[in-house]
Amino acid sequence: MSAASERFVPALGLGNPHLQTLWGPLWRKTTHIARERERLWLEDGDFLDLDWHGPHRVDAPLVLVLHGLTGSSNSPYVAGLQQALGSQGWASVALNWRGCSGEPNLLPRSYHSGASEDLAAAIAHLRARRPLAPLFAVGYSLGGNVLLKHLGETGDDSQLQGAVAVSVPFRLDQCADRIGQGFSRFYQAHFMREMVAYVRNKQRQFQHDGRHEGLATLTALGSLENMRTFWDFDGRVTAPLHGFSDAADYYRRASSRYFLGRISTPTLVIQACDDPFVFPHSLPEPGELSASTQLELHAQGGHVGFVDGSLRRPGYYLERRIPSWLAGL
C-alpha cells in the first residue's frame, strides 16, 4: 500500500460518497473531444468499437481506456481522461465493450466483469497497429476488474508497459451484496433497469434482423421480470450466456482479487474507502498484491468520483493523477 503523491481532498460540499459517485453522470459538463471510430472484428464474428483520440505519431504513447458497467466511451470519466492524455501529447483509445457503443452486438453473449479475452484481443490489435508505441491501459470499475484479471492471467506477457485500475470490485460476490444495502440500492435499481433493457433491446434487434438462433438463445433465458439484484441477473442471464454454472461460479471465476498475486506489469490501483459499491473487507490485503502493484487507498472519493476543487470549478483528481503516474513510467 502506498500514499498518493497528491492527497485527494473532496470539493467542499461533495464530501458525501454518493455525491462523489453521482457528480459525473448527473452534473458534470460534457467533455467534447474529436475522436475517430474503428470497428474491431473478433474471431467469434462479433465486434468491439474503438474510439481514437490524440496524435497519430507511430511512437506516441498509447492508452487503452476501459469503461464500467452500462457505460461507454461517452462516459464522462472516459472522455475526461482522453482529453487529459491528449493535452500531454499522448494518444488514447476508448474501448466500448460488446453492445455498448450504441449498436447491439451480434451474438447472444455480451460483456461481463471477467471478459478478459476481449481485452486481450483489443491489446493484440493495438500492438499490431502501433508496434512502436508504448502501450498502457486504464480501467474503471468493471473495466478495472477485467484489466487486473488480464494482468494476472498473462503475467510477464500482458503486452502492456503499465496499467491503472480505479474503483475495482475485487470480489464480485461481495459487491453484489454491498450494492443491495442502504442507499446503494438506488444504484442497483438503476443497473437492473439498464441491463434488462440491454437484453430486451437485443431481442428486438435479433427479431428484426432474422437472427433466429440468437433469438432462441435469449428467449431460453426465460422471463426478464422481477430481476432486482445482481444475484438475480447474473444467475439468470450472465451465467448461462457465458458458460458459468450459476452466479456464484461467475463471481468466483471473474473476481480480480484472485489474480492479483500474479501481476508483473507495473500497476496502480486507486480506491476510496467510502466506495458505496465495495465493502472495506473486499479490498486486498497487502500480502495479496504482487511487488509490481501499488494500491493507493483514499479515505474519500466514492465510486469513480474523486471530484475536488469547488462546486463552481470542480477538478478531477483522476485526470491529473493517472496521466502523471503513467508518464512517470
Side-chain angles (χ1 to χ4, degrees):
M1 300 219 185
S2 166
S5 60
E6 174 193 354
R7 187 170 69 91
F8 169 71
V9 179
L12 187 64
L14 292 182
N16 182 282
H18 300 296
L19 293 178
Q20 283 285 326
T21 301
L22 293 169
W23 177 269
L26 294 184
W27 302 299
R28 181 172 182 175
K29 293 180 180 179
T30 302
T31 301
H32 297 285
I33 55 173
R35 294 191 288 198
E36 297 179 9
R37 174 157 290 184
E38 176 189 12
R39 178 152 293 182
L40 170 59
W41 290 100
L42 302 170
E43 289 185 357
D44 61 9
D46 215 343
F47 66 90
L48 300 171
D49 282 333
L50 308 174
D51 290 326
W52 290 75
H53 174 70
H56 293 288
R57 298 193 324 272
V58 295
D59 59 347
L62 178 61
V63 181
L64 176 60
V65 186
L66 312 169
H67 67 79
L69 184 64
T70 72
S72 72
S73 62
N74 290 325
S75 295
Y77 53 86
V78 173
L81 180 64
Q82 287 194 277
Q83 183 181 60
L85 291 166
S87 69
Q88 70 177 30
W90 287 35
S92 61
V93 180
L95 180 149
N96 294 276
W97 299 113
R98 299 188 194 220
C100 294
S101 62
E103 180 180 336
N105 64 305
L106 303 178
L107 298 181
R109 66 151 295 174
S110 56
Y111 71 105
H112 59 83
S113 292
S116 50
E117 70 279 5
D118 287 354
L119 173 56
I123 291 172
H125 172 72
L126 297 181
R127 271 286 177 221
R129 277 206 59 178
R130 299 226 179 151
L132 301 181
L135 181 60
F136 306 89
V138 177
Y140 296 85
S141 193
L142 173 147
N145 188 82
V146 177
L147 176 57
L148 294 179
K149 178 174 179 281
H150 167 78
L151 294 173
E153 288 172 330
T154 55
D156 293 331
D157 196 30
S158 75
Q159 302 298 304
L160 298 171
Q161 273 68 63
V164 181
V166 178
S167 299
V168 180
F170 295 98
R171 279 282 302 269
L172 299 174
D173 53 344
Q174 294 174 357
C175 290
D177 292 336
R178 175 65 184 90
I179 205 168
Q181 297 182 359
F183 184 83
S184 294
R185 286 176 292 186
F186 167 85
Y187 308 115
Q188 178 176 259
H190 165 75
F191 284 129
M192 287 305 111
R193 287 192 299 270
E194 291 287 313
M195 293 190 295
V196 169
Y198 175 98
V199 178
R200 286 183 168 143
N201 184 43
K202 188 184 290 189
Q203 288 176 325
R204 287 192 293 269
Q205 190 67 45
F206 282 11
Q207 178 78 49
H208 177 270
D209 295 344
R211 295 179 175 272
H212 303 300
E213 185 176 345
L215 180 60
T217 299
L218 295 179
T219 302
L221 298 174
S223 172
L224 299 176
E225 299 297 328
N226 300 316
M227 289 199 195
R228 296 187 174 88
T229 70
F230 274 84
W231 285 95
D232 292 337
F233 185 89
D234 290 329
R236 292 160 57 183
V237 178
T238 308
L241 285 182
H242 301 96
F244 303 104
S245 59
D246 54 23
D249 181 50
Y250 160 52
Y251 294 153
R252 183 171 53 253
R253 291 164 58 186
S255 291
S256 61
R257 187 167 176 178
Y258 302 124
F259 297 85
L260 298 175
R262 299 193 294 273
I263 294 174
S264 59
T265 301
T267 300
L268 173 67
V269 180
I270 302 175
Q271 206 80 13
C273 292
D274 66 355
D275 190 324
F277 294 10
V278 183
F279 285 121
H281 62 260
S282 298
L283 301 177
E285 298 292 335
E288 296 177 65
L289 302 176
S290 71
S292 65
T293 304
Q294 174 184 347
L295 174 61
E296 281 185 2
L297 196 55
H298 298 268
Q300 295 172 281
H303 188 78
V304 193
F306 296 96
V307 185
D308 55 15
S310 66
L311 293 178
R312 287 192 175 185
R313 298 189 65 181
Y316 298 99
Y317 171 83
L318 298 173
E319 288 154 37
R320 301 191 306 274
R321 178 62 180 147
I322 293 172
S324 172
W325 188 84
L326 292 176
L329 295 178

